[in-house]
Amino acid sequence: MKKTIILAFSLVASVLLHAQPTKPSVLNATGQTLRNATFQLTYSVGEPMITVLKNPSDILTQGFIQPETVKKGSEFNFYPNPVADKLYFENAEKIASYKIHDVAGRQVFGQALGKPQRTVTVNLEMLAEAIYIVNAFDKEGQRLHSFQIMKK
């Protein structure tokens, strides 16, 4: 009986001591945020890069966790995501233009809107299947919203 208890205790202790944590964790040795008047560069060692370059009118991001930025009072809806052919903006009266960038930061599409519209339809049939970053701007050229979409 004593051997059975010791064996059971040893097995339980062995399992508990070698169990992996249930919470995801990232080894992050170092990181820093560098800023100047125009850009912000954030980097870390051990996890995906989140924000690469940012200024008042553009944002270039990389990684799995993408920040969504919204200028106060500029909320609007966009759908569907993922996008097959058309992307829709609703409550888009404050949007004067938009730009679409690929994950490498190259602008692949953009358009200035002539007058305020409640609903904007963006035809994305010509884009390849990929992840894109959409930036919406007001009439002063200030970024209202930045988000990512997946084209399927």
Side-chain angles (χ1 to χ4, degrees):
M1 180 71 176
K2 188 175 181 180
K3 288 182 180 181
T4 306
I5 292 174
I6 292 173
L7 180 62
F9 179 78
S10 297
L11 287 173
V12 169
S14 173
V15 168
L16 291 176
L17 290 175
H18 295 293
Q20 294 196 7
T22 58
K23 195 171 167 185
S25 61
V26 175
L27 176 62
N28 189 357
T30 185
Q32 189 174 7
T33 298
L34 306 170
R35 292 184 182 97
N36 68 16
T38 311
F39 293 101
Q40 172 179 314
L41 172 67
T42 303
Y43 70 89
S44 64
V45 176
E47 65 180 317
M49 195 174 293
I50 298 172
T51 302
V52 180
L53 296 173
K54 179 164 62 170
N55 70 26
S57 63
D58 293 307
I59 185 170
L60 173 64
T61 61
Q62 174 183 334
F64 296 104
I65 304 171
Q66 299 290 326
E68 287 199 21
T69 57
V70 179
K71 187 173 180 181
K72 192 161 179 96
S74 65
E75 293 81 10
F76 66 93
N77 299 321
F78 61 93
Y79 64 90
N81 196 8
V83 177
D85 295 326
K86 296 191 182 345
L87 175 66
Y88 300 96
F89 301 150
E90 282 190 351
N91 302 322
E93 292 88 354
K94 294 185 180 182
I95 298 175
S97 65
Y98 61 88
K99 294 179 184 177
I100 301 175
H101 296 83
D102 63 13
V103 293
R106 294 180 297 257
Q107 182 176 335
V108 294
F109 190 66
Q111 184 176 7
L113 306 175
K115 59 180 182 171
Q117 301 175 32
R118 178 152 175 77
T119 303
V120 175
T121 304
V122 181
N123 187 351
L124 300 178
E125 290 178 291
M126 72 294 201
L127 295 181
E129 290 186 9
I131 295 176
Y132 296 95
I133 300 163
V134 180
N135 291 298
F137 301 94
D138 64 13
K139 62 184 175 182
E140 286 85 33
Q142 295 295 311
R143 183 173 27 88
L144 296 171
H145 197 77
S146 179
F147 57 92
Q148 70 179 12
I149 59 169
M150 181 170 38
K151 171 72 166 70
K152 61 176 184 170

